[in-house]
Amino acid sequence: MKKNNDLKHLRKAIKKRQDAKRFEHTMGVEFTAAALAMRYDESIQNARVAGILHDCAKCMSDEKRLAICDRHGIMVTDIERRNPFLLHAKVGAYLAEKKYGVRDQNIFNAIKFHTTGREAMSTLEKIIFVADYIEPGRRRVPGLPEIRKLAFKDLDAAVLQILENTLNYLRDSGGEIDPMTEVTCNYYREKARRE
Ligand code: DGI
Ligand code: FE
Ligand code: FE
């Protein structure tokens, strides 16, 4: 299949499974991930595929996400069991392979870690993590214009800023923090300090 057809096919499949608002976000992430791929010498095609698929398990009930994990031996941590929306990343990576035929490990990982991040992310993983936060349709969050600029200057610095914002937001709103989000934040804080 030609690459452009591939993208068209994936967009069409996802459009059927997401509500209009979520699909608009998906298109924003595809677009932004492509722009960041240009800036950071990453594969534009891979960035677009990962962008289209990153939230493929978002428009699904918690029960369904948990059932997919149980059925396919995907490990569910305690925090994920209590906050099953977090599973849309892991389940999304699984579906990217099984349902959408993605064969590239780097693309799965970009989907799998797009919500919490992880230590030592690949360029593609960071691109999706950042694109998800800064895409044009993202609702206003404090400091977003600065993070958008920063993303095209220093990708690691943008990753760190997003993690700090997310952790502050979770602390203020009383959301339960996934230890993975904290581990990622500490890693990028330490990395910035050393460089
Ligand atoms: O799926 P999206 O809404 O496009 O974006 P996302 O996958 O980054 O999910 C965003 C939400 O995830 C946002 O409200 C913050 C939340 N999040 C990120 N890290 C954690 C977290 N939520 C909890 N409870 N714990 C975390 O550690
Ligand atoms: Fe998401
Ligand atoms: Fe998203």
Side-chain angles (χ1 to χ4, degrees), residues 22 25 55 58 88 114-115 132 138 170 176 178 181:
R22 179 59 48 181
H25 163 71
D55 276 338
K58 190 85 179 187
H88 80 277
H114 85 264
T115 304
D132 192 23
R138 185 54 91 183
L170 289 169
E176 192 176 12
D178 189 322
T181 309

Side-chain angles (χ1 to χ4, degrees), residues 22 25 29 54-55 58 79 83 85-86 88-89 111 114-117 129 132-133 135 138-139 162-163 166-167 169-170 174-182:
R22 179 59 48 181
H25 163 71
V29 174
H54 84 284
D55 276 338
K58 190 85 179 187
I79 175 146
N83 304 270
F85 82 91
L86 287 169
H88 80 277
I111 299 171
H114 85 264
T115 304
T116 60
F129 183 82
D132 192 23
Y133 199 85
E135 61 93 2
R138 185 54 91 183
R139 65 178 162 59
I162 291 166
L163 287 159
T166 299
L167 287 171
Y169 164 79
L170 289 169
E176 192 176 12
I177 293 170
D178 189 322
M180 188 82 154
T181 309
E182 252 170 346

Side-chain angles (χ1 to χ4, degrees), residues 123-140:
T123 303
L124 184 66
E125 288 169 47
K126 289 186 276 198
I127 284 175
I128 296 302
F129 183 82
V130 170
D132 192 23
Y133 199 85
I134 68 167
E135 61 93 2
R138 185 54 91 183
R139 65 178 162 59
R140 313 265 168 281

Side-chain angles (χ1 to χ4, degrees), residues 14-153:
I14 294 301
K15 189 174 184 179
K16 274 194 277 182
R17 287 172 182 83
Q18 289 183 336
D19 57 63
K21 244 187 121 189
R22 179 59 48 181
F23 187 67
E24 179 125 353
H25 163 71
T26 296
M27 291 299 91
V29 174
E30 180 195 355
F31 166 85
T32 307
L36 288 168
M38 292 176 200
R39 162 68 179 85
Y40 293 107
D41 293 319
E42 183 48 81
S43 155
I44 294 173
Q45 173 74 13
N46 287 355
R48 296 180 90 175
V49 170
I52 294 169
L53 292 177
H54 84 284
D55 276 338
C56 71
K58 190 85 179 187
C59 290
M60 186 186 280
S61 66
D62 286 342
E63 291 70 31
K64 179 125 193 245
R65 276 191 280 266
L66 285 163
I68 291 174
C69 290
D70 284 347
R71 208 174 313 131
H72 302 288
I74 300 170
M75 223 191 50
V76 178
T77 64
D78 290 344
I79 175 146
E80 287 169 340
R81 204 163 285 281
R82 287 192 297 271
N83 304 270
F85 82 91
L86 287 169
L87 283 172
H88 80 277
K90 264 186 193 173
V91 171
Y94 173 82
L95 293 177
E97 178 178 16
K98 300 294 177 203
K99 188 162 168 183
Y100 301 105
V102 170
R103 294 279 164 267
D104 184 311
Q105 186 73 40
N106 199 17
I107 297 178
F108 304 146
N109 287 339
I111 299 171
K112 188 169 176 182
F113 299 108
H114 85 264
T115 304
T116 60
R118 65 163 167 169
E119 295 173 284
M121 286 187 277
S122 71
T123 303
L124 184 66
E125 288 169 47
K126 289 186 276 198
I127 284 175
I128 296 302
F129 183 82
V130 170
D132 192 23
Y133 199 85
I134 68 167
E135 61 93 2
R138 185 54 91 183
R139 65 178 162 59
R140 313 265 168 281
V141 292
L144 190 51
E146 289 74 23
I147 297 176
R148 283 182 169 139
K149 267 181 252 178
L150 186 59
F152 288 88
K153 268 193 222 139

